[in-house]
Amino acid sequence: MSERDEGGQAFPMAAVKDLQDRTDGMSLRDYFAGQSIMGCCPGKGMSEAAVLEHARWAYRMADAMLEARKQ
């Protein structure tokens, strides 16, 4: 199974010497998914199934955005 293209880091940091507890943060895929879901979900009153479907939609949109970057 091939690994999913996560797009790299959303906010890469320049190398810093002796940086303690450094994390690479979220992937570009996660960032795209979060951004794409911002305007589409009313949030309150959504069923668990609806929330899950919106999350899946957001990641499909993120995958499409990553693919579009390659063109």
Side-chain angles (χ1 to χ4, degrees):
M1 175 187 260
S2 63
E3 291 200 22
R4 171 178 277 137
D5 179 10
E6 294 290 330
Q9 291 176 262
F11 304 103
M13 295 175 45
V16 177
K17 194 174 188 176
D18 299 326
L19 184 62
Q20 297 292 322
D21 300 321
R22 179 174 181 255
T23 63
D24 290 334
M26 72 173 71
S27 70
L28 189 55
R29 182 174 182 260
D30 286 336
Y31 179 73
F32 281 167
Q35 293 299 305
S36 67
I37 205 167
M38 290 298 292
C40 77
C41 291
K44 294 180 180 178
M46 290 178 68
S47 69
E48 190 170 332
V51 170
L52 185 56
E53 182 52 38
H54 275 80
R56 288 181 179 135
W57 173 87
Y59 276 99
R60 287 193 304 268
M61 180 66 74
D63 290 339
M65 293 167 78
L66 289 171
E67 188 60 34
R69 292 178 82 224
K70 295 176 186 177
Q71 298 175 7

